[in-house]
Amino acid sequence: MKFYETKIEIASPPTRVWQTLTAEMPRAPERYGIVRFDGSIAQNAKIKLWSEVAPDRAFSLKVIKFDAPNKMVWRGGMPFGLFVGTRTFTISATPQGSVFAMREEFSGLFAGPITKSMPDLTPSFKKFAMTLKEEAEQDG
């Protein structure tokens, strides 16, 4: 199973990081490497985004887990589970604030061929995490 992940320490409490991720990020997605974001983030919500990595392709996703302020999961892909991308966001409390982690796993019958043709998502994951850190550490 192919996956990408990133983790970063943020000097803000989990509630602030969660607010930044779920409410503020959709209002200014371009800072996070997202060209466009449609929808609102909530349990069972359907969202659509266009990434800098593939700006001409819309990714239709569903928020399948929304456990504020600690965990959220988005899932999207092809019918019948032929290719599935599952992105998990976790926010853990620390004495200094929070640790934010983001991981996307790809599965399904077509995962091998499709992921071989995908660009490396590591730089976009790091950009997303660094922007979240900068935004959450500002007075909000």
Side-chain angles (χ1 to χ4, degrees), residues 68-138:
N70 303 110
K71 188 172 186 177
M72 178 170 56
V73 180
W74 298 353
R75 182 170 290 151
M78 298 172 73
F80 310 112
L82 293 172
F83 177 73
V84 177
T86 304
R87 183 171 292 193
T88 303
F89 305 86
T90 56
I91 303 165
S92 306
T94 68
Q96 297 78 29
S98 305
V99 170
F100 169 76
M102 182 170 67
R103 177 182 174 103
E104 185 152 5
E105 297 179 357
F106 301 99
S107 60
L109 185 62
F110 294 160
I114 291 174
T115 57
K116 284 180 185 171
S117 68
M118 288 172 51
D120 181 4
L121 299 180
T122 304
S124 65
F125 272 48
K126 288 184 177 186
K127 177 180 182 176
F128 189 101
M130 183 55 72
T131 302
L132 183 68
K133 174 183 174 64
E134 291 167 0
E135 295 292 316
E137 288 179 350
Q138 289 181 7

Side-chain angles (χ1 to χ4, degrees), residues 32-53:
Y32 294 82
I34 299 170
V35 175
R36 182 174 155 199
F37 187 98
D38 289 346
S40 58
I41 300 174
Q43 180 69 45
N44 296 318
K46 291 183 180 179
I47 56 177
K48 193 178 280 191
L49 64 85
W50 291 256
S51 170
E52 286 179 354
V53 175

Side-chain angles (χ1 to χ4, degrees), residues 6-58:
T6 191
K7 186 182 285 191
I8 195 165
E9 292 185 16
I10 300 176
S12 290
T15 53
R16 173 69 182 130
V17 178
W18 183 265
Q19 172 70 19
T20 305
L21 176 64
T22 61
E24 296 172 24
M25 181 278 294
R27 291 195 300 256
E30 63 284 348
R31 292 195 40 133
Y32 294 82
I34 299 170
V35 175
R36 182 174 155 199
F37 187 98
D38 289 346
S40 58
I41 300 174
Q43 180 69 45
N44 296 318
K46 291 183 180 179
I47 56 177
K48 193 178 280 191
L49 64 85
W50 291 256
S51 170
E52 286 179 354
V53 175
D56 296 329
R57 184 179 186 284

